[in-house]
């Protein structure tokens, strides 16, 4: 019951047994969250900084709540309103925070590889909360937890990741995780939003027709169109995207079996998902958010135990 | 290796402990039995089965508690997690904590902390199968003890159960 890694930088670095350990631990934390008092004193000697260089609602609140439920002390740092605007570098910023005796860093950054860079230079444990278009490991873990909760296991499950694969760190983390846990993976979306060699690189299915993807899968993990990362015209308009790749009630009802809809949020309603799909009982979206806290508690707990105890 | 309790003695001891638990109370509506994971639950399973036979048709409330998150050495190495199963409130109930061996007392200290997350009990008592005397590190004593023994720190008390180990006895290693 030990992780093989000191940091959680990406699913890529994890072994299948690590993923299993995290998901099993999260099950116990989910039980803690059902108690009348949803807080355990486990990490009361740990200080965690949430370093967010990029906007976030769910992930930041979820991490903060997970830290508080574990009784850790937390500091929140957002790039706006800090000395980053005065030109302080990432490493300087973090080293200054660490000199105040912080044990763990949860970080989100718009540059891919930023947490990997930090991991080489600082002693604290780092949890990647999303780096550029690289990975978002805790999102993939909570997606896996939600699928496992619904179906009992990931093995052999058919999971389609639909939408903007190119700019999505959620997609990459999910592909790594699902492959490691023995699920079948498909990516689907417009050809312009799917990297060219992804089929060979990961040994997964690629489908450009939404209907065929939905007919194949048990779980459809629908991604957000990342408008903030589009700097060239990859599809003509949101309306056209919705017509070709938006999932609506009528389409779901015409499928041969009932599939499960997931979405990492925030949803562009009326673009990738219609409201009557997002809010239906086929959707696991709110369970995903609920499970996020338990999964992040598990990650923090498992990594904290690998940390030397500062100031003994 | 020295046998402390044989299978027969173990049965008699458990029966005696159950009678002691029962003779101290007139009503069982408020009685809650909580076994401490992972090893205490084999013992608490027996206690609950036995008590339910004695006071049927009344059924007592039974839960299982994992104390890992409340340990004082939680950061000195990872501990295997077990399931906590207390789907009821213990507010104003009379709780009996059940564990197999009472040694340093630290587990029970953690268990009392963990218990408070499920409500404020009217009373908490401790029932153990084996009490290792004179080795406490915190001021905690058992209200009901199957057998008290004197041991030194290098010795180990092992409780074997049919369900898990194939045979049933208590030994000193």
């Amino acid at each position: 019951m030990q992780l093989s890694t000191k940091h959680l930088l990406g699913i890529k670095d994890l072994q299948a047994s690590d993923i299993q350990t995290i998901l099993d631990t999260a099950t116990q934390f989910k039980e803690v969250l059902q108690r009348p008092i949803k807080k355990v004193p486990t990490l009361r000697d740990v200080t965690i900084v949430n370093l967010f260089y990029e906007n976030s609602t769910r992930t930041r609140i979820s991490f903060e709540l997970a830290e508080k439920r574990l009784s850790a002390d937390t500091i929140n740092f957002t790039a706006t309103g800090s000395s980053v605007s005065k030109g302080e570098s990432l490493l300087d910023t973090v080293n200054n925070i660490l000199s105040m005796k912080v044990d763990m860093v949860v970080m989100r950054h718009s540059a891919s590889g930023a947490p990997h860079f930090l991991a080489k230079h600082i002693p604290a444990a780092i949890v990647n909360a999303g780096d550029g278009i690289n990975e978002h490991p805790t999102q993939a873990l909570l997606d896996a937890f939600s699928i496992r909760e619904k179906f009992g296991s990931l093995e052999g499950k058919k999971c389609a990741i639909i939408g903007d694969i190119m700019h999505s760190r959620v997609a990459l983390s999910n592909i790594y995780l699902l492959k490691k846990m023995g699920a079948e993976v498909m990516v689907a979306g417009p050809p312009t939003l799917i990297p060219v060699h992804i089929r060979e690189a990961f040994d997964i299915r690629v489908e450009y027709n939404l209907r065929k993807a939905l007919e194949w899968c048990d779980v459809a993990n629908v991604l957000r169109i990342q408008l903030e990362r589009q700097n060239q015209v990859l599809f003509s308009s949101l309306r056209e995207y919705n017509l070709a790749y938006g999932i609506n009630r009528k389409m779901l009802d015409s499928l041969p079996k009932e599939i499960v809809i997931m979405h990492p949020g925030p949803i562009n309603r009326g673009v990738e998902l219609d409201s009557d799909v997002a809010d239906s009982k086929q959707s696991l979206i709110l369970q995903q958010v609920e499970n996020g806290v338990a999964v992040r508690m598990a990650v923090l707990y498992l990594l904290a135990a690998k940390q030397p105890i500062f100031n003994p | 290796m020295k046998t402390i309790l044989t299978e027969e003695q173990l049965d008699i001891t458990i029966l005696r402990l159950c009678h002691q638990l029962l003779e101290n109370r007139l009503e069982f509506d408020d009685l809650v039995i909580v076994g401490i994971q992972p090893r205490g639950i084999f013992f608490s399973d027996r206690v609950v089965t036995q008590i339910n036979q004695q006071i049927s048709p009344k059924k007592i409330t039974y839960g299982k508690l994992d104390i890992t998150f409340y340990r004082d050495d939680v950061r000195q190495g990872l501990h295997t997690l077990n399931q906590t199963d207390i789907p009821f409130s213990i507010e104003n109930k009379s709780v009996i904590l059940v564990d197999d061996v009472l040694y340093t007392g630290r587990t029970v200290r953690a268990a009392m902390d963990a218990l408070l997350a499920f409500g404020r009990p009217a009373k908490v008592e401790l029932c153990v199968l084996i009490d290792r005397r004179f080795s406490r590190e915190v001021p905690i004593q058992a209200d009901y003890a199957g057998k008290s023994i004197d041991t030194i720190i290098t010795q180990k008390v092992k409780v074997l159960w049919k369900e898990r180990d194939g045979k049933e006895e208590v030994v000193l290693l």
Side-chain angles (χ1 to χ4, degrees):
Chain A
M1 246 256 335
Q2 279 263 12
L3 293 187
S4 65
T5 162
K6 190 185 157 214
H7 310 283
L8 180 67
L9 299 177
I11 303 292
K12 190 182 179 185
D13 314 318
L14 294 183
Q15 291 163 6
S17 60
D18 293 330
I19 296 167
Q20 197 70 44
T21 304
I22 294 172
L23 298 183
D24 290 346
T25 309
T27 312
Q28 305 307 328
F29 279 115
K30 188 152 188 199
E31 183 275 321
V32 170
L33 296 176
Q34 320 288 335
R35 295 181 189 174
I37 296 175
K38 303 166 185 55
K39 191 173 171 111
V40 288
T42 318
L43 296 190
R44 62 187 158 196
D45 56 344
V46 179
T47 309
I48 303 174
V49 59
N50 298 316
L51 204 62
F52 279 73
Y53 277 82
E54 207 186 52
N55 296 338
S56 165
T57 312
R58 257 158 305 274
T59 309
R60 192 159 58 85
I61 290 178
S62 182
F63 264 112
E64 200 177 333
L65 209 50
E67 288 150 9
K68 291 195 162 142
R69 301 284 195 227
L70 286 165
S71 303
D73 291 322
T74 61
I75 312 164
N76 288 315
F77 171 96
T78 43
T80 46
S82 73
S83 283
V84 171
S85 51
K86 298 179 195 164
E88 195 173 31
S89 76
L90 172 62
L91 190 55
D92 279 343
T93 306
V94 176
N95 269 329
N96 276 288
I97 294 171
L98 288 186
S99 64
M100 294 182 246
K101 304 283 181 259
V102 172
D103 308 279
M104 295 175 87
V105 179
V106 173
M107 79 172 289
R108 163 166 292 192
H109 203 286
S110 54
S112 305
H116 305 70
F117 164 76
L118 268 195
K120 282 188 198 132
H121 292 97
I122 63 166
I126 293 171
V127 181
N128 183 358
D131 62 326
I133 56 167
N134 180 37
E135 281 223 46
H136 190 353
T138 54
Q139 179 69 42
L141 286 163
L142 73 90
D143 289 347
F145 186 85
S146 309
I147 298 173
R148 204 176 77 150
E149 203 176 47
K150 175 90 186 172
F151 292 102
S153 143
L154 289 163
E155 183 106 34
K157 290 289 157 311
K158 293 178 174 161
C159 301
I161 304 167
I162 298 168
D164 185 355
I165 310 296
M166 175 106 76
H167 300 94
S168 173
R169 51 193 173 213
V170 178
L172 192 56
S173 285
N174 258 300
I175 293 171
Y176 279 126
L177 192 150
L178 292 168
K179 290 293 286 180
K180 284 181 191 206
M181 300 309 281
E184 285 186 59
V185 187
M186 171 189 281
V187 292
T192 46
L193 290 177
I194 296 182
V196 184
H197 298 293
I198 197 164
R199 187 198 316 259
E200 298 79 37
F202 293 103
D203 185 28
I204 54 175
R205 290 159 195 263
V206 177
E207 179 59 64
Y208 301 117
N209 181 306
L210 177 68
R211 197 178 166 85
K212 281 186 187 159
L214 292 178
E215 277 170 2
W216 174 84
C217 70
D218 302 312
V219 179
N221 199 345
V222 187
L223 304 176
R224 182 173 63 94
I225 291 296
Q226 308 222 0
L227 295 167
E228 75 275 23
R229 284 186 226 280
Q230 314 266 6
N231 45 20
Q232 47 185 324
V233 184
L234 296 171
F235 54 90
S236 45
S237 70
L238 288 176
R239 185 175 137 73
E240 191 184 299
Y241 183 86
N242 177 253
L243 287 175
Y245 290 99
I247 299 177
N248 55 43
R249 185 80 255 159
K250 210 173 121 200
M251 181 177 280
L252 278 191
D253 287 341
S254 69
L255 293 175
K257 62 181 174 202
E258 195 175 279
I259 64 166
V260 167
I261 300 288
M262 309 214 300
H263 191 296
I267 308 172
N268 294 322
R269 282 175 189 266
V271 182
E272 66 264 9
L273 277 187
D274 281 5
S275 280
D276 53 359
V277 173
D279 304 330
S280 72
K281 62 179 197 304
Q282 266 171 282
S283 132
L284 284 187
I285 297 169
L286 290 176
Q287 281 96 308
Q288 283 175 272
V289 179
E290 186 192 348
N291 291 337
V293 179
V295 166
R296 290 179 174 114
M297 283 171 88
V299 167
L300 294 169
Y301 166 71
L302 291 166
L303 288 179
K306 297 219 77 172
Q307 277 288 104
I309 298 169
F310 282 60
N311 313 319
Chain B
M1 194 172 89
K2 190 183 146 208
T3 304
I4 299 170
L5 291 174
T6 63
E7 185 173 348
E8 278 177 322
Q9 286 173 316
L10 192 62
D11 279 346
I12 297 170
T13 308
I14 293 174
L15 192 60
R16 195 236 313 150
L17 283 172
C18 292
H19 283 135
Q20 281 180 341
L21 291 177
L22 294 178
E23 73 186 12
N24 276 351
R25 60 202 77 229
L26 297 166
E27 293 188 35
F28 306 102
D29 296 343
D30 289 339
L31 181 64
V32 172
I33 291 191
V34 174
I36 300 178
Q37 288 271 29
R39 291 190 302 264
I41 58 155
F42 295 97
F43 177 38
S44 59
D45 280 348
R46 298 299 166 87
V47 170
V48 169
T49 315
Q50 196 60 252
I51 290 183
N52 273 333
Q53 279 173 16
Q54 308 279 336
I55 60 165
S56 65
K58 281 179 188 147
K59 289 271 181 276
I60 52 168
T61 321
Y62 176 36
K64 292 167 186 175
L65 181 66
D66 182 58
I67 57 127
T68 311
F69 301 135
Y70 292 84
R71 294 177 74 111
D72 51 12
D73 60 351
V74 68
R75 297 246 287 123
Q76 286 161 26
L78 278 177
H79 303 268
T80 313
L81 298 178
N82 297 285
Q83 202 202 347
T84 293
D85 179 24
I86 304 189
F88 46 83
S89 165
I90 58 165
E91 191 77 27
N92 283 326
K93 304 279 185 189
S94 162
V95 179
I96 297 173
L97 276 174
V98 179
D99 203 359
D100 57 351
V101 181
L102 176 61
Y103 180 35
T104 62
R106 287 180 190 268
T107 302
V108 177
R109 196 237 19 108
M112 288 195 290
D113 251 10
L115 210 52
L116 296 182
F118 299 91
R120 181 183 183 273
K123 188 177 184 184
V124 182
E125 289 178 303
L126 176 62
C127 171
V128 296
L129 187 57
I130 304 293
D131 174 12
R132 295 179 68 168
R133 286 190 292 189
F134 312 122
S135 38
R136 224 69 84 225
E137 291 168 3
V138 285
I140 279 170
Q141 302 304 334
D143 299 282
Y144 308 92
K147 185 162 184 162
S148 295
I149 56 169
D150 297 341
T151 56
I152 53 172
I153 196 163
T154 51
Q155 288 174 313
K156 210 169 154 33
V157 174
K158 210 161 176 205
V159 184
L160 304 171
W161 299 103
K162 261 201 193 104
E163 301 92 303
R164 190 190 48 180
D165 311 296
K167 58 178 176 179
E168 203 135 293
E169 60 177 351
V170 183
V171 293
L172 187 65
L173 299 171

